[in-house]
Amino acid sequence: MDRFRVRGGRRLGGSVRVSGAKNAALPALAATLLTDQPVTLNNVPGVNDVRTMFRVLEHLGAEAVVENGSSCRVRVGALKELEAPYDLVRKMRASVLVLGPLVARFGRARVSLPGGCAIGERPIEMHLAALRRLGATVELAHGYVDARAGRLEGAEITFEMKTVTGTENALMAATLARGSTVLRNCAGEPEIVDLAELLRAMGARIEGAGSDVIRIEGVPSLHGAVHSIVPDRIEAATFIMAGVLAGGSVSVEACRPDHLGAPIERLREAGARIETTETSVRVSGGFPLSSRDVVTAPYPGFATDLQAQYMTAMTQASGASVITEAIFENRFMHVSELRRMGADISHDGRQAIVKGRTRLTGAQVMATDLRASACLVLAALIAEGTTDLNRVYHIDRGYERIEEKLLALGADIERMKT
Ligand code: EPZ
């Protein structure tokens, strides 16, 4: 298992290019199951979760071809298999995104239940309820979801709570259903808008993606398309916080500042110097920060995927800040690791209180989930001394070559093969 060795205290400067969004690439790859024609995706991030999704598609019978760095071409003719097996799904719960497309196009799917993960139990009952509303029979047995349908029938579906991949599964399934579907209380993340753009390019008839209500007119079949994946707003915000904490002047390029409203506003309120253009964000570090509370929320609120990184920023802000994790029930595992580096943080249940400003010192720390890893990298960049971050496979799931990007900004970071 690789680890990162980071020597803190370097001032960052220069520009970094953001990759395509992992959480847009995964549903886009699942959507290739909806047609027998080739779909080309550009700006696909070279991260392990995307590689796992390639393996799921290839297991099912797709021909997935990675053409060059960030482009891939996927064609799903006849399937070898209708089952997404446990040993793949347990590696990446987003594999459940093949459920809707498989049932919609092939009338059958067996997908291992993802089970919980470090940050929470993360059930998928809203995904299954939506498929049942569309006319599928869905049974759970032996740890698998077994879904069958003739042609799906359009329906009115209201999600009990906002679910990103639940909305994506239902949206993909409805594109091939007979008649109209209305999805209500939908999640509005930019990755859902991006998926809808791909589906429309494939011939789907969709209105309202990004809002609470999405309307779909089913069509008999979809065709191939070429689509460029939206930039990763979580990676962009992570590098913005790196600039706030350890800059110099850092320019985050090839991103979508219009998707970064909540984190940029909160960081500016805390004293960060941030300028934006249409496709880039320039951060000037070295300015004093003052504490600001945050509550995570569905988009356009403050993303739960930025909660851990923001916590690191608040360790350098003067005063106490309250960070409330309102989406997942167990997303504070980075607190104990930050405390080992000298942070003054207490937490119970869904709230953490960060007292700053504290001096962080390098330590041996452990990554526990994807975004917690990113927060520990940020802490290591500003800590006095050397930090060894173990289990970086977590960060490799969702950040493309993060150590190379940080090295190019002047950080002292190396990957140690162990
Ligand atoms: C997506 O997960 C993202 N993953 C997550 O990013 C992100 O943290 C999350 O949305 C919230 O923004 C992908 O897009 C691949 P949800 P998802 O369904 O869709 C509960 C990362 O770091 N829920 O919006 O699984 C659920 O337990 C990952 O890149 C149900 O109770 O999240 C959670 O508490 C981590 N029943 C809340 O809803 C359901 O049927 C929101 O979950 C579905 C969800």
Side-chain angles (χ1 to χ4, degrees), residues 22-23 122-126 161 163-165 305 327 371:
K22 163 180 86 77
N23 290 349
R122 300 179 75 183
I124 59 166
E125 85 285 347
M126 288 190 280
M161 57 194 286
T163 163
V164 174
T165 49
D305 292 351
I327 303 290
R371 307 304 174 181

Side-chain angles (χ1 to χ4, degrees), residues 183-206:
L183 304 177
R184 291 192 173 86
N185 196 23
C186 296
E189 271 65 6
E191 293 76 29
I192 292 171
V193 175
D194 201 52
L195 174 63
E197 280 173 18
L198 165 61
L199 292 169
R200 278 202 297 272
M202 294 168 68
R205 296 168 59 191
I206 300 168

Side-chain angles (χ1 to χ4, degrees), residues 22-24 26-27 49 92-94 96-97 117 119-128 161-168 187 189 191 233-234 297-299 303-305 326-329 331 350 369-371 398:
K22 163 180 86 77
N23 290 349
L26 296 175
D49 272 6
M92 184 190 62
R93 55 177 300 100
V96 291
L97 284 166
C117 78
I119 63 177
E121 200 260 327
R122 300 179 75 183
I124 59 166
E125 85 285 347
M126 288 190 280
H127 300 231
L128 308 184
M161 57 194 286
K162 291 194 183 296
T163 163
V164 174
T165 49
T167 301
E168 291 166 344
E189 271 65 6
E191 293 76 29
R233 60 194 167 96
I234 306 301
Y299 190 86
T304 172
D305 292 351
I327 303 290
F328 289 110
E329 62 268 29
R331 204 168 196 178
R350 300 274 186 137
D369 70 80
L370 168 53
R371 307 304 174 181

Side-chain angles (χ1 to χ4, degrees), residues 232-266:
D232 193 318
R233 60 194 167 96
I234 306 301
E235 184 192 16
T238 304
F239 279 107
I240 288 168
M241 290 192 219
V244 169
L245 289 167
S249 172
V250 171
S251 180
V252 180
E253 308 281 344
C255 66
R256 287 283 301 270
D258 56 320
H259 293 162
L260 293 163
I264 288 177
E265 279 165 37
R266 185 62 85 257

